[in-house]
Amino acid sequence: MELIRQAISALTTGLLPVGGLSFALVWWAASQRYIEVGENVGQIGKAMKTLTRERKKARKARKKNAGRTSESPPPKPRKFDRIHEKWMAFGGGFYGVVSIYTYLRVEWRELVDFVSQFGGLLAMLGNISVNALIGLLINSILNFVTAVTWPLYWFARVPSEWLLLWLVTAYAGFWLGAKLALLSVSRNWTADWRSSTPPDDPD
């Protein structure tokens, strides 16, 4: 009975949310040509780390070239959306996906508690103070640290005898989500689905 309960918990807190987030991140990254990995899930983390190194090199080159007159200045660092900036900051790959999931999970709970202490959203808007906002900002920074060190967060919340089960299901969710996203982009399923939709009847 305990095995069933822990398996359901691992599915709802590990496989499903990590899988959904993995699909969204990888699908968008592949669609925007952030990554060119074909259908190989194992290359995603390496591709994101390569992008991070290239951006750092470009920033250093432009900083070093600042103020100089040059016919061919170094290229600008490539820009990414804020979510993928976070993913890259967290290391990319499986570790990065779980980091973002942990960050969103902790931030949401912090936000709910923050609103609850005022007695609701409308009451909060009418009584919020600068000190409260500063406290919220500090908590957000601490939550970033928690996300980066997510193994410590989850080790404290998952019973040690079931920790391997949680990690396996979480990685399975990452792999399945990423694989499905790569297949969706490489085989252009979205375009196929749109083209298969019958046109509206003009009558």
Side-chain angles (χ1 to χ4, degrees):
M1 194 67 181
E2 180 64 14
L3 174 60
I4 295 176
R5 191 177 74 83
Q6 291 296 334
I8 293 174
S9 177
L11 288 173
T12 56
T13 63
L15 189 145
L16 293 177
V18 173
L21 185 57
S22 172
F23 176 86
L25 287 170
V26 176
W27 182 85
W28 185 254
S31 297
Q32 299 300 310
R33 297 295 184 265
Y34 294 164
I35 55 176
E36 298 286 351
V37 293
E39 299 179 5
N40 192 335
V41 176
Q43 293 180 1
I44 292 174
K46 294 179 181 179
M48 297 303 291
K49 288 178 180 178
T50 299
L51 286 174
T52 302
R53 287 194 297 267
E54 290 176 353
R55 292 188 70 204
K56 288 181 178 179
K57 287 181 180 179
R59 285 175 177 172
K60 287 181 180 179
R62 289 186 68 84
K63 188 175 180 179
K64 187 177 180 180
N65 194 66
R68 300 180 182 178
T69 56
S70 175
E71 294 182 359
S72 56
K76 293 182 179 180
R78 188 173 181 180
K79 291 184 178 181
F80 300 90
D81 59 87
R82 294 190 67 180
I83 296 297
H84 282 81
E85 290 273 3
K86 288 284 188 185
W87 188 22
M88 294 170 70
F90 287 137
F94 171 67
Y95 195 95
V97 170
V98 180
S99 294
I100 293 180
Y101 166 50
T102 304
Y103 180 78
L104 294 175
R105 180 187 175 95
V106 176
E107 275 286 289
W108 172 252
R109 291 190 173 184
E110 289 279 356
L111 185 60
V112 170
D113 291 342
F114 182 77
V115 174
S116 298
Q117 73 180 0
F118 287 94
L121 182 60
L122 294 178
M124 182 199 74
L125 294 176
N127 297 283
I128 196 168
S129 64
V130 175
N131 288 336
L133 289 175
I134 293 175
L136 188 65
L137 178 61
I138 292 174
N139 285 335
S140 181
I141 295 173
L142 294 176
N143 291 341
F144 183 87
V145 175
T146 299
V148 172
T149 58
W150 63 259
L152 299 178
Y153 174 86
W154 289 103
F155 290 175
R157 284 159 180 77
V158 179
S160 58
E161 63 269 27
W162 302 107
L163 187 59
L164 182 61
L165 174 64
W166 189 91
L167 289 173
V168 170
T169 54
Y171 186 82
F174 163 75
W175 193 92
L176 290 171
K179 185 68 174 179
L180 185 60
L182 293 174
L183 286 172
S184 176
V185 174
S186 65
R187 299 185 182 181
N188 208 14
W189 287 346
T190 304
D192 292 343
W193 175 77
R194 287 176 178 175
S195 63
S196 64
T197 303
D200 294 334
D201 189 347
D203 299 328

